[in-house]
């Protein structure tokens, strides 16, 4: 739940020295609040993760541009709901191979932490219906298949020995707005089948 | 398949995703009409830490209110904002859910049902403090909060 406000610079001001100021608002509360680290800044983004860390609240944010003695109107977002709109990061994936199988151990992504010392909150503590979409690609047969699981361990069986398999996993929570980000593709080779090797000799 | 379990109350045959998508399609349109951002009807005190036992009473009261008050009186707005399809989908699904909810009327459940009722009164009280038009728009715009809470009971 790292929440970063981003915007485009105003058109036609390429030559001017433009700075920006950001404010945010918690829906249901009374007033707009300043984000001190995003006052008179030149960059076109502002990290509001700390301010929006309570994912059950809803938020608005707005930004205005200042150049010379001029000042733009505020540009305001719609109502932002972290609980529904966050993008679920990829899980950590550990693969262990055998002759005809690959064991997969998944670790759910963590919620964004304000301070590294804060104890981690794993995403499935927030979304009990977190699922994983495991995609496997057999590089020899060019065959790809996927399976959706809810628990953290999975064994792929009936694989071919001495074959390179590539795996990537996406953690997702059902819901129209929540996009998911797949893990990096990892490729491992199943072990050689010693038995069939002896026969060949 | 998946179903809602509000404590002892089970609800089958409703796809939560359909409800979420119906609202999501009109979220920006509806919420943009709500200018009173300093008021939240579904405050955290209404929906936070609701026990399983309370949940059936609370969802029954909420859906009944949305059907009898919000959807009913918001109808002409749905035409104006061209959100009829979403509004109908939400209302029809709410009718299906309500038809399967049978909150227990046993005496021993009285304190639990009263606790749920207090939560509902918090919501309705905030609703009644607003001009009816503004309240209808706000209540409709807060369906994402209600659906997010309902998601916790969807298994």
């Amino acid at each position: 739940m790292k929440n970063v406000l981003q915007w485009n610079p105003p058109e036609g001001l390429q030559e001017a020295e433009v700075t920006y100021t950001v404010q945010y608002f918690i829906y249901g509360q009374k007033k707009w609040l300043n984000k001190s680290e995003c006052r008179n800044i030149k960059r076109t983004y502002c990290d509001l993760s700390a301010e929006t860390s309570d994912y059950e609240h809803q938020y608005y944010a707005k930004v205005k541009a200042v150049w010379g003695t001029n000042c733009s109107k505020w540009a305001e977002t719609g109502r932002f709901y972290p609980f529904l709109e966050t993008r679920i990061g990829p899980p950590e994936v550990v693969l262990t191979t055998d002759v005809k199988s690959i064991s997969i151990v998944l670790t759910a992504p963590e919620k964004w932490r304000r301070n590294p010392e804060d104890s981690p909150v794993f995403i499935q503590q927030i979304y009990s219906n977190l699922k994983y979409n495991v995609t496997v690609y057999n590089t020899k047969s060019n065959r790809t298949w996927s399976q959706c699981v809810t628990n953290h361990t999975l064994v792929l069986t009936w694989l071919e020995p001495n074959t390179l398999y590539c795996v990537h996993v996406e953690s997702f929570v059902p819901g129209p707005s929540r996009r998911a980000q797949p893990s990096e593709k990892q490729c491992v080779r199943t072990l050689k089948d010693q038995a069939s090797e002896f026969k060949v000799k | 398949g998946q179903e809602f379990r509000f404590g002892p109350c089970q609800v089958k045959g409703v796809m939560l995703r359909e409800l979420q998508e119906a609202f999501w399609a009109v979220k920006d349109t509806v919420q943009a009409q709500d200018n009173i951002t300093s008021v939240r009807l579904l405050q955290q005190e209404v929906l936070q830490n609701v026990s399983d036992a309370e949940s059936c009473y609370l969802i029954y009261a909420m859906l009944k209110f949305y059907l009898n008050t919000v959807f009913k009186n918001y109808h002409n707005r749905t035409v104006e904002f061209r959100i009829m399809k979403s509004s109908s989908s939400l209302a029809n699904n709410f009718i299906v859910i309500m038809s399967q909810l049978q909150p227990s009327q046993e005496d021993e459940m009285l304190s639990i049902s009263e606790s749920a009722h207090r939560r509902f009164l918090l919501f309705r009280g905030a609703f009644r403090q607003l001009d009816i038009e503004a309240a209808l728009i706000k209540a409709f715009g807060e369906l994402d909060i209600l659906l997010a809470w309902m998601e916790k009971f969807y298994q």
Side-chain angles (χ1 to χ4, degrees), chain B residues 99-110:
Chain B
S99 67
Q100 296 183 49
L101 293 174
Q102 281 159 5
S104 159
Q105 304 305 322
E106 313 258 339
D107 287 346
E108 72 228 23
M109 296 299 281
L110 188 60

Side-chain angles (χ1 to χ4, degrees), chain B residues 11-135:
Chain B
V11 175
K12 297 177 189 281
V14 173
M15 297 288 293
L16 174 62
R17 181 165 193 132
E18 195 179 302
L19 286 160
Q20 291 171 327
E21 282 173 354
F23 180 79
W24 205 257
V26 299
K27 165 185 159 25
D28 291 338
T29 301
V30 171
Q31 291 180 345
Q33 306 304 320
D34 179 2
N35 302 317
I36 310 173
T37 52
S38 59
V39 172
R40 171 170 162 162
L41 303 179
L42 287 167
Q43 311 150 49
Q44 294 196 315
E45 297 79 8
V46 176
L47 296 177
Q48 217 164 41
N49 306 320
V50 175
S51 68
D52 267 0
E54 267 182 284
S55 62
C56 189
Y57 297 99
L58 184 54
I59 191 62
Y60 188 86
M62 293 303 300
L63 298 188
K64 187 175 173 186
F65 182 85
Y66 265 89
L67 288 168
N68 295 346
T69 304
V70 179
F71 286 107
K72 188 172 144 194
N73 296 297
Y74 191 68
H75 177 71
N76 46 2
R77 283 270 178 171
T78 58
V79 176
E80 177 192 339
F81 296 150
R82 285 198 225 104
I83 57 170
M84 278 281 284
K85 188 171 172 243
S86 285
S87 176
S88 307
S89 170
L90 287 159
N92 291 329
N93 276 290
F94 279 6
I95 290 169
V96 172
I97 294 172
M98 263 200 79
S99 67
Q100 296 183 49
L101 293 174
Q102 281 159 5
S104 159
Q105 304 305 322
E106 313 258 339
D107 287 346
E108 72 228 23
M109 296 299 281
L110 188 60
S111 66
I112 289 174
S113 67
E114 281 175 349
S115 169
H117 190 57
R118 279 193 298 274
R119 291 174 182 272
F120 170 70
L121 291 182
L122 256 180
F123 162 77
R124 194 180 66 182
F127 181 93
R128 285 184 173 173
Q129 284 188 4
L130 298 176
D131 156 78
I132 183 66
E133 279 298 317

